[in-house]
Each structure stands twice: as C-alpha cells, then as structure tokens.
Amino acid sequence: MATADTAPAVPHTPPTAPGRPRSATTPPQQRSARPPEQQSATLIGSVRRAMRLLETVAEHEHGAPAKQLARETGLALPTAYHLLRTLVHEGYLRRDRGLFFLGEAADRLSSSGAQQKRRSTLADTLARWRDAIGVPVYYAMYRDGEIEVMHVSDTSANPAVEEWADFHETAHAHAIGQCLLAQLDEEGRRDHLDRYPVRSLTPYTVRDGHSLLRRFDRMRRMEPVTERQEYALGAVCAAIPITVGTTAATFAISLPAHHADQLPTAAAKLQSEAGRLLGSLAISISI
C-alpha cells in the first residue's frame, strides 16, 4: 500500500572543437536577435510585473481600475493595460464595469496551493508519528461508499503491509476497513458488505458477514480496532477511529506478527498523539 514518489537526466552537450567558436555552428536564421541574457531578463521582468498586478488586485476585495493598479504597482499605464488584458484572457483576472478582480484560474491556484499545504502538513505529522512510535502509519477515510487510503508513511526498515488483495474489497479483513465500517450505521455496513462480501484471505479472517456484524456490535464507540493476520500472514494492525465532520476516518499502524505483543502499546501511543493534535489537524486531514 505504500506509494513511491526520479530526476530527469541532464542532457550531455558535446564540447566545442578547439579554436572553433560555438556560435559559428549556428545558422544565421536560428540566431536570436537579442543576447540570451537580455531575453531572460525581459521574460522574467514580464512575469514579475504580472505577479505584482495579481497581488495588488488580490488586495482589493471590491476591485480596482487599471489606472489605480498601474499607480500602485509602479507600472506605466500602457504596460499595465497590456498585462491586465493578458491576465483577463487567461482567466487569472476578470473585468467588471472597469474594475479588475481575481478570476477563476487564480482561485484554482489558491485552492490547489492550500490543498497541497494541507497534504504536506498531514504527511509531516504522520512521518513524525512513524519515527516516534517506530512503525508505519496510515491515514484512511470512508468516502462515497469506498475505503480510501489517503497517505502511508513508512521506511525501508519498517515497511507498510503490502496490498496483495484489493484494499477496497477487503475491508472486513484489515484493521483500517473494520475501523471505518464500525463507524457507519447498520445500514451503511450492510450496504458495504453486500457490495464487497466477506471472503477468507488467511486462516484468521472472519468467516462470514454475520460474524463481522456481531463483532461490530460488541465494539465500544471510538475504541481502537485490532486485527492479527486477518489480512496478511505475518502482520498485525491497529486502527483508531476519528471523525472528520460527518466522514469516518482512521489513523492506523502495522507491525510484524512476531512483535504482536507491542501492538497495544503502539496503538495507545498513536491514539494519544492523534488526540493531542486532532484539533489542529482537523482541516489538514479532510483532504
């Protein structure tokens, strides 16, 4: 279940023959009218001016006219008009009754950046828990009737459990799935099990849906869920339930079966860490 995120190779440029200027090999029609340094400066300057305009427009909630934007950014009015028209054409700005506002493209950039920041915050937190507890840490949600593992933080020394059987279809067998299903109402659980019936994956897997539902009935609300080699031989797992709004979610950990005696302590540490930071993580984990 772990995901792996390689730098492109730098192309090799053949050396120039001694005594022969490199520019002599370039046909006149392919040479630029400006030196490369001047071209680079021109392009970067245009981008900087456009970014200044975007930032200035963002400061005006009720919009601003071109003349005011030119004055506040220190741009010549013709330059400001040219950049503003381009930004409107590309959707980064919109014009209404002579006033300029941020457009949909800028809104998408903002929302994407915020989402990336939330994902980064979550990843950093899981990595910190992984190192502190010394186990792989998982974050998963139940959305639109499906199990979604959103993030896994592991190391080569402590790898995550390999997804050898489709994780979406085997919620009955692993701690993450059981923890998420336990947070649903009875109708939601039965609906999931109708779509993904219980099947044996190992000799330890729950035998049928009725047995699994009875197990859920015996669980106390918000208590950790553990499973020992029900999904994968050689692995034991624990998951703690959390609620993100009305969405069922969970943090989970896994250990090799020969360290099963450490599972309760590790799960308690995870629950303590999550409880301490859940308030500040509430937005980050709703991704």
Side-chain angles (χ1 to χ4, degrees):
M1 296 178 293
T3 56
D5 273 331
T6 332
V10 178
H12 173 69
T13 303
T16 303
R20 178 186 300 173
R22 186 181 301 277
S23 59
T25 62
T26 305
Q29 66 272 21
Q30 294 182 11
R31 296 178 194 161
S32 172
R34 293 193 187 112
E37 296 82 0
Q38 186 177 348
Q39 280 190 317
S40 177
T42 302
L43 291 173
I44 292 174
S46 296
V47 172
R48 291 179 63 185
R49 289 190 286 271
M51 294 304 295
R52 286 213 310 271
L53 276 172
L54 281 173
E55 291 170 353
T56 304
V57 170
E59 294 171 358
H60 294 279
E61 181 181 355
H62 303 292
K67 288 183 179 180
Q68 181 180 354
L69 294 170
R71 184 174 63 253
E72 293 181 4
T73 55
L75 297 177
L77 189 57
T79 300
Y81 270 125
H82 174 70
L83 290 171
L84 288 168
R85 284 197 300 269
T86 302
L87 290 168
V88 169
H89 180 267
E90 296 298 327
Y92 291 100
L93 295 179
R94 62 181 178 86
R95 186 177 184 181
D96 183 18
R97 299 178 183 179
L99 301 179
F100 291 89
F101 303 82
L102 291 180
E104 292 183 1
D107 291 339
R108 287 196 299 271
L109 280 178
S110 176
S111 60
S112 297
Q115 186 179 63
Q116 288 179 6
K117 184 174 181 180
R118 292 196 298 270
R119 289 181 182 275
S120 177
T121 299
L122 178 63
D124 290 345
T125 301
L126 264 60
R128 192 161 60 248
W129 293 348
R130 174 202 68 201
D131 295 340
I133 306 172
V135 296
V137 182
Y138 311 76
Y139 171 61
M141 302 177 71
Y142 193 85
R143 277 199 306 206
D144 300 323
E146 301 293 342
I147 304 290
E148 293 188 31
V149 178
M150 310 298 293
H151 193 82
V152 180
S153 186
D154 65 350
T155 64
S156 56
N158 293 300
V161 177
E162 181 182 355
E163 185 179 355
W164 74 274
D166 192 312
F167 218 65
H168 298 85
E169 300 178 4
T170 56
H172 62 281
H174 47 74
I176 286 176
Q178 292 178 24
C179 185
L180 293 174
L181 292 180
Q183 296 177 64
L184 306 181
D185 57 23
E186 184 174 354
E187 182 181 355
R189 295 171 190 164
R190 291 185 180 278
D191 172 72
H192 186 93
L193 295 176
D194 285 343
R195 290 182 288 118
Y196 302 115
V198 170
R199 58 189 176 94
S200 294
L201 301 180
T202 77
Y204 304 97
T205 308
V206 64
R207 288 289 173 261
D208 54 66
H210 295 297
S211 300
L212 183 63
L213 291 172
R214 286 198 298 271
R215 181 188 296 183
F216 290 144
D217 290 337
R218 294 193 299 269
M219 288 181 182
R220 289 182 297 177
R221 178 174 171 77
M222 306 309 285
E223 72 174 357
V225 175
T226 61
E227 61 89 359
R228 290 171 166 77
Q229 303 190 83
E230 294 182 47
Y231 174 77
L233 292 175
V236 297
C237 305
I240 61 169
I242 56 176
T243 300
V244 182
T246 58
T247 303
T250 181
F251 292 121
I253 57 174
S254 62
L255 281 165
H258 60 275
H259 289 316
D261 59 318
Q262 301 174 19
L263 188 63
T265 301
K269 287 182 179 178
L270 177 66
Q271 192 163 33
S272 175
E273 291 287 341
R276 186 165 57 85
L277 291 179
L278 195 53
S280 59
L281 273 178
I283 296 177
S284 298
I285 62 181
S286 59
I287 53 179

